[in-house]
Amino acid sequence: MKWTTLFPYCIWEIWKNRNHNNINNLDNYLDIRKVIHAAWEFTFFTERNPFVEKTINVEISWIKPNKDVIKLNCDGTFSSKCRRARLGGAFRNNKGDWIVGYHKLCQAISPIHAELLALLEGLKIATDMNFIMMEVETDCTKVIKLTYENNSNSSDIVCECRWLMHQLKIPVLKHNFREGNMVAHLLAKQATKNVSTSKYFYHACLPRFVEHEVTKDKNRVCNGIRSMSNNVCNYLATMGNTSALKTSAMPM
């Protein structure tokens, strides 16, 4: 990214943050990730012929969290025919060991609503179990944008997710590809077998239908390779995508 692109966004966000703090009598710090993300988004959508550039291969895997950190992976899928969502999520420690998982079939109005419901349920469980040192992964970039954007018109569910994240000392919310989020995806698929839309299913022990994927994740097995432009890779890196971040940091 060019400095001439990044610098105006830095000044703009500093000015907005200062005014917001002064008006509301707050002392919030500037989120530098938001600045970099906005600058990369501008570059991606305005650069001439961004898709002509050479593509790069990104190896995708589930990355273990740091020591003493618990990672939540969540996923939600939506069926427009029956207006239902399938939610799934799993908590694991820094060794990749299973802590608890969940899945549920429920009503929803859109795919993004389903993804937010999956995140919300995971945050509720984390709050109940007093998981403080956490990071959260989703394969939906829009969930991350909605959660971090300063928008007074945010929906109730987004506001509730933010409140729970505040209660949990603001866990890191990251993006991962579907291939790196397979355990949560399989749990969401399992919700199809639920008869009731009012019951959650919790798994204190590792379920057999995700055992193979959990073992692969513990051993850092590559779950797939995606080809993408350098701009797309950098954009996803600003979303906390560890696979994209490692690739974008490599010398070209």
Side-chain angles (χ1 to χ4, degrees), residues 5 9 38-50 231:
T5 300
Y9 277 95
W40 271 119
E41 190 173 57
F42 173 83
T43 302
F44 176 72
F45 285 112
T46 60
E47 186 177 278
R48 186 178 179 182
N49 297 325
N231 275 347

Side-chain angles (χ1 to χ4, degrees), residues 2-16:
K2 296 178 181 177
W3 172 244
T4 52
T5 300
L6 181 60
F7 181 72
Y9 277 95
C10 291
I11 299 301
W12 172 245
E13 291 296 338
I14 290 171
W15 182 82
K16 284 203 307 179

Side-chain angles (χ1 to χ4, degrees), residues 105-234:
L105 183 69
C106 64
Q107 298 296 320
I109 59 174
S110 66
I112 186 63
H113 187 211
E115 296 279 5
L116 285 167
L117 286 170
L119 171 62
L120 179 62
E121 177 58 23
L123 294 174
K124 286 180 177 178
I125 294 173
T127 304
D128 291 341
M129 301 189 74
N130 198 29
F131 293 155
I132 299 299
M133 295 184 65
M134 275 188 62
E135 64 179 56
V136 185
E137 276 189 348
T138 172
D139 55 26
C140 181
T141 57
K142 196 167 184 179
V143 165
I144 300 172
K145 292 187 68 175
L146 285 171
T147 304
Y148 284 128
E149 279 179 353
N150 235 344
N151 191 340
S152 58
N153 297 321
S154 298
S155 65
D156 290 344
I157 188 171
V158 173
C159 291
E160 191 172 358
C161 286
R162 288 175 181 168
W163 170 245
L164 289 171
M165 289 178 68
H166 177 73
Q167 295 289 95
L168 294 164
K169 310 298 183 185
I170 316 296
V172 178
L173 183 56
K174 296 181 176 182
H175 176 264
N176 201 345
F177 299 103
R178 167 62 58 80
E179 296 90 333
N181 202 39
M182 280 305 297
V183 171
H185 180 65
L186 290 174
L187 283 160
K189 283 183 65 176
Q190 188 71 12
T192 308
K193 300 179 181 179
N194 293 9
V195 177
S196 172
T197 58
S198 61
K199 293 182 179 180
Y200 275 102
F201 287 80
Y202 299 100
H203 301 276
C205 297
L206 177 62
R208 294 191 65 181
F209 61 88
V210 295
E211 191 173 341
H212 178 64
E213 287 297 330
V214 170
T215 301
K216 283 171 58 179
D217 288 347
K218 287 182 70 172
N219 294 322
R220 287 290 304 276
V221 175
C222 176
N223 289 329
I225 297 176
R226 288 202 188 189
S227 295
M228 62 189 66
S229 71
N230 191 51
N231 275 347
V232 172
C233 183
N234 288 326

Side-chain angles (χ1 to χ4, degrees), residues 75-86:
D75 189 33
T77 61
F78 175 70
S79 172
S80 57
K81 291 183 179 179
C82 56
R83 312 291 285 183
R84 286 184 175 182
R86 298 181 292 273

